[in-house]
Amino acid sequence: MLSIFRGSCTTAAIEAVALDVREVSDIVDALVDKSLVQVDASKNEPRYRLLEVVRDFAREQLASRDELRARHAMYYSGVVAAAKPPYFDLDDEVPNVRDALDWHLANEVGGAGRFIADLAPYWRARGAVNEARAWIRRALEILKPGGSDRAFLLRLAATFATLQDALAESLAFSEEALSIYRAAGDRAGIAHAVFRIAEAKHRQGRIPEAEALYREALDGFIAAGDARGEMLCLGNLGGLAFERRDFHRASELLGDAISRAASLGEERIEGDFSIAMGWVALRLDDLDRARSLFEKTLAQKAAARDRYGECSARHGLGTVALMESNDAEALEQFVAVLNMARELELTDHIVRALHGIAAVRGHAGNVEAAVNLLGLADRLSVERGHELRNNVAYEVANQLLEAALPEPRLSQLRDEGSCLQLDDLTTDQLLRGR
């Protein structure tokens, strides 16, 4: 029976799956004594793992495998549904959760949709964007066109696609969801779909369109009594004010959104908007406040294992260090952002980290290598349909490099840089400036 689990599991999980087995703990203890089962007592509650070679053999002999897999899937769907931020309890359950979700997709599509909806906050918190997109894609391939379940998954698909700057895909998902909601007369659903469209257009730099759509979504959320949706719209409208360099208005909107997020218990989103407020402080030349906001949020994001948020906060700290002429700290932070963003496939953060590293190299007089990095960043932005906006490090790098080289040489070096591959840039090379 233990062979039905992937990785490790708790006694509670074993008891839930083995409904017809008495004295489960005694049986498990006996297997531990025989060294067939390993136990990890370092967690809040012991976790048991069947040796892989034993597990494979036992699976082949298992007579009631289908029934046990169903129980296993139902148990772990309940575990995920009950999980609360910061989701530490789910980290050890990932192998079993994946197995359970796989069962749902093969046997109960409706349950799979709910499972994915419950898992989405965890994936977002851990920066598991690729995994989220893969599971959602599988579910969408199974779900028939139309219907609220499909529309909800389309919204999730759009959210995760936007995080990786797959903006054309994001818009297609959101527009399909919008058509479903409009056909059903679902005003709340319409507001959510419009908000996702606004996010993608925001990333594309289509600021007037994005603002109109955010305001349309805001009206819809107010009508539906959706306080979370209102909070998200206000925060993103603050981001648009920042893009227009109306920094005082941005501060007002973001401050409102941060207060709302705190009152709703949305710690992750409160941190995200605090990072945005750090950028406002930086643009208002309040570097001390900017550093304080970025450092505080980095500590919170790291403690919550929010890797996407950690990436954003480190980028902010790198930029503050750059403005303080602390090139060693700036380089360390930008390289950390680049490595994390490469792993998570976050194009926006990759591009911004390259700009930061280029600015540091420009300060050090390594001008040609700096321009090459800008060329690589240009290419990556074009490939994803992402428009560069309001990036301090880019402005610093561009100003330095335009003063150092004549235009024909700058263009030549940027073209050469556009042929570079990210995989060719090692951490050692970047830190040493080679």
Side-chain angles (χ1 to χ4, degrees):
M1 182 273 300
L2 279 172
S3 65
I4 210 69
F5 293 94
R6 297 278 182 184
S8 65
C9 60
T10 63
T11 302
I14 299 169
E15 290 174 345
V17 174
L19 292 176
D20 54 349
V21 177
R22 296 181 180 180
E23 300 175 345
V24 166
S25 60
D26 291 340
I27 295 171
V28 172
D29 288 343
L31 292 171
V32 171
D33 291 340
K34 294 176 181 178
S35 298
L36 296 174
V37 170
Q38 297 172 318
V39 59
D40 180 358
S42 66
K43 307 291 183 179
N44 290 334
E45 59 179 315
R47 298 191 65 85
Y48 299 92
R49 180 191 301 271
L50 196 62
L51 295 176
E52 282 302 309
V53 64
V54 177
R55 180 182 181 279
D56 293 342
F57 174 78
R59 272 220 163 192
E60 293 176 2
Q61 309 303 313
L62 198 59
S64 57
R65 180 177 174 181
D66 290 344
E67 181 182 353
L68 288 173
R69 279 209 70 192
R71 290 181 190 171
H72 174 278
M74 296 304 176
Y75 173 77
Y76 281 103
S77 66
V79 168
V80 170
K84 303 294 182 186
Y87 308 111
F88 294 151
D89 291 344
L90 286 186
D91 288 336
D92 290 321
E93 307 294 1
V94 167
N96 282 302
V97 166
R98 288 171 178 158
D99 215 31
L101 182 50
D102 193 60
W103 182 91
H104 276 285
L105 284 168
N107 295 278
E108 193 198 343
V109 180
R114 292 189 296 275
F115 204 156
I116 288 171
D118 290 335
L119 265 174
Y122 174 75
W123 285 327
R124 174 64 177 80
R126 295 296 180 270
V129 183
N130 284 332
E131 179 164 7
R133 294 185 69 191
W135 284 111
I136 295 168
R137 190 178 299 113
R138 280 185 60 186
L140 287 173
E141 288 171 355
I142 297 169
L143 278 175
K144 64 183 180 180
S148 59
D149 287 347
R150 181 174 178 84
F152 185 84
L153 284 181
L154 286 163
R155 281 165 41 201
L156 285 182
T159 299
F160 286 106
T162 297
L163 289 173
Q164 290 188 328
D165 285 298
L167 301 177
E169 257 189 286
S170 176
L171 286 169
F173 290 136
S174 295
E175 285 162 0
E176 184 183 344
L178 180 59
S179 68
I180 293 171
Y181 287 130
R182 280 181 171 159
D186 184 342
R187 294 181 65 189
I190 289 170
H192 280 287
V194 168
F195 176 81
R196 296 304 170 196
I197 293 170
E199 277 192 316
K201 293 196 174 186
H202 187 169
R203 290 253 191 163
Q204 288 178 326
R206 296 157 69 177
I207 303 303
E209 289 178 72
E211 181 166 15
L213 289 165
Y214 280 137
R215 294 197 179 282
E216 179 185 344
L218 179 60
D219 290 342
F221 287 134
I222 291 171
D226 187 335
R228 186 177 189 274
E230 287 184 57
M231 173 264 295
L232 290 171
C233 280
L234 289 169
N236 284 15
L237 284 167
L240 286 182
F242 179 82
E243 309 265 352
R244 292 194 305 270
R245 297 179 180 264
D246 186 351
F247 301 126
H248 293 288
R249 179 58 176 158
S251 181
E252 292 173 6
L253 287 165
L254 286 168
D256 187 2
I258 289 168
S259 296
R260 290 170 183 252
S263 67
L264 292 170
E266 293 280 359
E267 293 182 10
R268 179 185 63 78
I269 297 171
E270 181 185 357
D272 292 343
F273 287 145
S274 293
I275 291 172
M277 187 69 88
W279 287 105
V280 173
L282 191 149
R283 284 295 192 180
L284 292 172
D285 295 323
D286 191 345
L287 295 183
D288 288 341
R289 182 167 185 245
R291 177 176 282 281
S292 176
L293 284 164
F294 292 138
E295 286 179 341
K296 179 181 177 181
T297 309
L298 175 59
Q300 293 171 341
K301 296 293 188 182
R305 300 175 195 165
D306 179 351
R307 301 179 72 222
Y308 186 94
E310 185 178 349
C311 203
S312 298
R314 285 191 182 280
H315 174 231
L317 279 174
T319 306
V320 170
L322 182 69
M323 300 305 291
E324 294 171 337
S325 298
N326 186 344
D327 287 352
E329 180 191 350
L331 182 61
E332 181 180 348
Q333 294 289 3
F334 288 134
V335 171
V337 171
L338 180 62
N339 287 336
M340 192 176 294
R342 286 163 71 173
E343 181 185 347
L344 301 178
E345 296 187 24
L346 305 175
T347 303
D348 183 65
H349 282 95
I350 290 171
V351 167
R352 291 175 184 273
L354 290 171
H355 292 154
I357 296 167
V360 172
R361 286 191 172 175
H363 274 165
N366 197 347
V367 174
E368 295 195 353
V371 182
N372 284 162
L373 290 176
L374 293 185
L376 171 58
D378 290 344
R379 192 195 83 227
L380 295 174
S381 293
V382 170
E383 287 176 351
R384 286 302 183 104
H386 178 275
E387 180 177 302
L388 172 71
R389 305 178 314 279
N390 217 338
N391 188 352
V392 176
Y394 179 80
E395 294 167 14
V396 171
N398 224 29
Q399 186 175 6
L400 282 169
L401 301 175
E402 286 180 351
L405 291 173
E407 171 49 37
R409 183 59 176 153
L410 280 172
S411 295
Q412 179 187 0
L413 289 167
R414 276 184 105 123
D415 289 343
E416 290 174 2
S418 69
C419 298
L420 292 174
Q421 300 298 319
L422 270 178
D423 290 342
D424 295 334
L425 303 178
T426 68
T427 298
D428 181 67
Q429 288 173 328
L430 293 169
L431 289 173
R432 293 176 182 274
R434 294 202 303 267

